Amino acid sequence: MNPIEMSEDINRPRRRFLSTAAMAITAAQFGMLSSAKAEASSETSTEIPVVKPGTNTSFSSMKQIEAGLLNVGYAEAGPADGPAAILLHGWPYDIYSFVDVTPVLAAAGYHVIVPYLRGYGTTSFLSRVTMRNAQQSAVGLDIIALMDALKIQKATIAGFDWGARTADVMAVLWPERCKAIVSVSGYLISSPAGNQTPWPPQAAFAFWYQYYFSTEVGKAGYAKYLDEFNKFIWHQASPKWNFDDATYNRTASFKNPDHVDIVMHDYRWRLGLADGERKYDDLEKRLAALPVVTVPAITMEGDSNGAIHAPSTAYRNKFSGKYDYRLIAGGVGHNIPQEAPQAFAQAVIDVEHL
């Protein structure tokens, strides 16, 4: 049987244990299950028009710029003198997760930048000898370098998956560069040492791909079955998202020559199975302390997120500034910007008005 076409009977219990396991994991990691609930903001900024997922299939402007260690490919929209919003994707996705969000924010007056992260799309390393490193501080520095190259002093940073982690990292390491953040699934900063706590079997099963990637056969398997693998993850992470082949095929970032190495390093580094670079040690030491986010923040979750995630109560006290939590209903999974672009765009607009 094709694993992508699993029956509802198989997927239903999987979703149940993902939620239960995530709660146990996060409580153990942070030791801070809170009974307090995130209070919703009573005021929002101007509401946007209805945005139907799949309305847009391309970006109006694609550019390249040298920034730090990279030549970064990015989409750009909106007035150059508007407030900056930088939208960050995760794995295994790319900038097309924001293809419907971008024109909405541009129409609202934002200067929107949507970069391919290192190892994705048209972003490439300037030097062949640079380590293909995906540790969290290095990716955060990539976005700071991009802001410097584009002469953007301060921006709202919004993302999901790796992009949400990067937004969190930027907010605690360089708060002066972050007007506010939108972080799907909340507080995602971690450390190799912090990830050494054994998980219960159901939770470990949810992260099966991390263990697969820790082996050489896993790396070879990912490279050989790249498209099938990532489409499987899309289905697993968003079990109720009925995307078509055209939508999936537009995300062609996996063809990047550094993609496999970047993905392997990311997950191996998280588990302490791959070294980072010493030049990032001080930044990683600061992140390992799990510092509090002080800038205004909105965290979001889809009601059908099939990827393991923490309950909002588990990370609420990691956000000390103005804050709102939003649960997006209607069968929305892990890729909120693409599955629910209106909700994501509204959060980007609202976060600076909390």
Side-chain angles (χ1 to χ4, degrees):
M1 178 179 66
N2 185 339
I4 295 176
E5 298 173 352
M6 290 181 179
S7 70
E8 184 65 13
D9 289 339
I10 295 176
N11 276 328
R12 190 179 298 113
R14 172 175 291 176
R15 289 195 293 273
R16 283 199 301 268
F17 82 66
L18 285 176
S19 178
T20 302
M23 185 177 295
I25 290 168
T26 308
Q29 182 178 0
F30 296 126
M32 58 177 190
L33 272 179
S34 170
S35 60
K37 296 195 176 183
E39 56 279 351
S41 172
S42 60
E43 297 182 4
T44 61
S45 58
T46 304
E47 292 187 2
I48 60 176
V50 174
V51 184
K52 182 180 178 181
T55 299
N56 299 281
T57 58
S58 62
F59 293 93
S60 59
S61 177
M62 293 297 305
K63 297 182 178 181
Q64 296 285 144
I65 192 170
E66 290 192 4
L69 301 173
L70 305 171
N71 185 295
V72 180
Y74 65 99
E76 184 176 37
D81 60 350
I86 299 177
L87 312 181
L88 303 176
H89 67 83
W91 173 85
Y93 308 92
D94 74 358
I95 65 173
Y96 280 88
S97 290
F98 303 102
V99 73
D100 288 319
V101 172
T102 297
V104 173
L105 293 178
Y110 285 83
H111 180 201
V112 187
I113 304 295
V114 194
Y116 285 111
L117 298 185
R118 53 169 62 190
Y120 295 80
T122 59
T123 292
S124 61
F125 285 87
L126 297 176
S127 172
R128 289 179 297 175
V129 301
T130 301
M131 179 181 174
R132 273 38 179 176
N133 178 353
Q135 65 188 105
Q136 57 192 352
S137 58
V139 179
L141 274 170
D142 288 344
I143 308 305
I144 294 294
L146 176 62
M147 292 174 68
D148 290 344
L150 294 173
K151 296 180 170 55
I152 295 173
Q153 180 58 35
K154 204 165 190 175
T156 295
I157 312 297
F160 73 107
D161 199 86
W162 291 19
R165 177 187 68 174
T166 304
D168 295 337
V169 165
M170 293 176 66
V172 300
L173 292 181
W174 304 283
E176 72 280 2
R177 307 299 297 272
C178 301
K179 181 182 292 186
I181 67 169
V182 175
S183 179
V184 174
S185 297
Y187 190 91
L188 300 180
I189 296 171
S190 65
S191 68
N195 289 330
Q196 296 309 303
T197 302
W199 293 339
Q202 288 182 326
F205 176 71
F207 273 146
W208 64 272
Y209 55 89
Q210 294 198 17
Y211 301 110
Y212 183 60
F213 289 162
S214 70
T215 68
E216 287 307 302
V217 70
K219 180 179 181 179
Y222 184 61
K224 182 176 181 178
Y225 298 106
L226 202 55
D227 285 333
E228 297 96 324
F229 196 105
N230 289 337
K231 184 179 285 189
F232 178 85
I233 295 294
W234 278 31
H235 281 285
Q236 179 177 316
S238 300
K240 294 185 178 181
W241 182 28
N242 295 316
F243 60 88
D244 57 21
D245 287 343
T247 298
Y248 178 78
N249 291 336
R250 277 191 287 275
T251 297
S253 285
F254 318 134
K255 304 298 189 293
N256 185 296
D258 297 309
H259 179 75
V260 173
D261 286 339
I262 287 293
V263 172
M264 294 305 112
H265 186 265
D266 181 280
Y267 290 109
R268 292 178 181 184
W269 178 84
R270 294 190 200 198
L271 295 176
L273 301 175
D275 289 334
E277 293 180 84
R278 299 287 73 81
K279 62 182 178 180
Y280 302 122
D281 281 355
D282 288 344
L283 294 177
E284 292 297 345
K285 183 177 180 180
R286 290 169 60 187
L287 293 173
L290 305 179
V292 171
V293 173
T294 59
V295 304
I298 290 177
T299 64
M300 309 177 72
E301 196 61 76
D303 66 345
S304 294
N305 186 1
I308 195 165
H309 57 279
S312 61
T313 50
Y315 55 72
R316 173 61 185 93
N317 62 355
K318 301 308 289 183
F319 296 87
S320 65
K322 295 179 180 179
Y323 177 79
D324 191 15
Y325 168 75
R326 299 179 180 184
L327 179 66
I328 311 305
V332 176
H334 190 57
N335 184 1
I336 289 182
Q338 200 161 5
E339 298 176 62
Q342 182 173 358
F344 191 86
Q346 190 70 60
V348 174
I349 293 171
D350 290 348
V351 70
E352 60 181 283
H353 302 286
L354 291 177

